[in-house]
């Protein structure tokens, strides 16, 4: 039996364009930092980590394009 792991920690609930840049940067940094722990996780849990990084980067890029 596997123990379910919690999903990514929810970030700022505001749309990316309304979030401060620091919050978006912290979101990306936290997601990327989780990559360092992949070696200790089963391979089955890796996609969840990659998806969290992808989502954080997407939010940051979307916010940047909406601000410009």
């Amino acid at each position: 039996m596997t123990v379910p792991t919690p999903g990514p920690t929810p970030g700022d609930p505001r749309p990316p364009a309304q979030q401060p840049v620091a919050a978006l940067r912290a979101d990306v940094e936290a997601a990327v930092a989780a990559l360092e722990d992949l070696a200790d996780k089963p391979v089955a849990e890796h996609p969840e980590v990659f998806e969290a990084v992808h989502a954080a980067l997407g939010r940051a890029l979307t916010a940047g394009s909406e601000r410009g």
Side-chain angles (χ1 to χ4, degrees):
M1 181 170 104
T2 60
V3 177
T5 57
T9 304
D12 192 330
R14 295 176 285 183
Q18 295 175 2
Q19 294 180 21
V21 173
L24 291 168
R25 181 175 293 123
D27 188 31
V28 169
E29 289 175 355
V32 171
L35 293 172
E36 295 176 13
D37 298 331
L38 282 181
D40 300 330
K41 292 184 178 238
V43 174
E45 294 180 20
H46 290 195
E48 181 180 331
V49 175
F50 293 136
E51 289 169 4
V53 172
H54 184 262
L57 291 171
R59 286 188 298 273
L61 289 170
T62 299
S65 67
E66 290 176 357
R67 291 173 197 250

